[in-house]
Amino acid sequence: MIVRHLSEIEDTEADIKTENWRSKRIILAKEKLGFSVHETTLYAGTVNDFWYANHIEAVFITEGEGEVEDKATGEVHELKPGSIYVLNNADKHQVRPKTEMKTVCVFNPPVTGREVHDENGVYPLVVED
């Protein structure tokens, strides 16, 4: 059994901070569970372009409001607590938080924590040894 608290993640190498968002990587590939779990906070008024070409991601909104745009179709979906969106087709998307948004994200395959978004918003596929 694995039991963790966010306070154990804060200000460690598993706590990734950028200008637009902060991601606390709670469960990573090294746990060998087949998925990773993160708490990600997106800052109000930011524009975030992502494209997980190598991962499926599910994002559950726990706090705040915003919108997600499917870049292929232009379709925009409102986000609020209780909303979930799943990027099951390597969907290029843009997230625009109107207020600070807290989310719980699940990735498959799991991320290692060493990934960095490239210029297209893609995480490379990094595997644990």
Side-chain angles (χ1 to χ4, degrees):
M1 179 182 298
I2 299 169
V3 178
R4 292 209 172 102
H5 189 272
L6 285 175
S7 63
E8 297 171 60
I9 309 297
E10 291 173 358
D11 299 318
T12 70
E13 62 186 21
D15 185 1
I16 311 302
K17 301 171 187 175
T18 75
E19 217 174 81
N20 288 8
W21 51 264
R22 178 180 187 180
S23 180
K24 298 174 190 171
R25 278 72 186 284
I26 305 164
I27 300 293
L28 292 167
K30 66 184 176 186
E31 275 84 34
K32 301 191 182 309
L33 298 172
F35 60 90
S36 59
V37 179
H38 317 180
E39 181 200 60
T40 300
T41 302
L42 297 120
Y43 303 129
T46 61
V47 175
N48 304 275
D49 289 298
F50 301 113
W51 176 31
Y52 297 115
N54 301 306
H55 299 84
I56 294 172
E57 182 192 26
V59 179
F60 182 74
I61 289 73
T62 59
E63 294 179 27
E65 296 183 1
E67 57 190 22
V68 62
E69 178 181 349
D70 181 329
K71 298 301 280 183
T73 66
E75 208 173 356
V76 176
H77 303 275
E78 294 298 315
L79 301 173
K80 61 185 177 182
S83 300
I84 189 169
Y85 64 92
V86 180
L87 304 161
N88 58 325
N89 290 312
D91 306 293
K92 290 182 180 180
H93 62 291
Q94 185 175 84
V95 182
R96 300 182 293 262
K98 296 175 184 173
T99 66
E100 181 175 281
M101 277 185 9
K102 284 200 184 283
T103 67
V104 175
C105 307
V106 177
F107 281 85
N108 180 13
V111 302
T112 66
R114 298 186 307 272
E115 294 81 1
V116 177
H117 289 102
D118 69 13
E119 67 278 358
N120 296 309
V122 175
Y123 274 159
L125 184 57
V126 178
V127 295
E128 281 294 315
D129 297 329

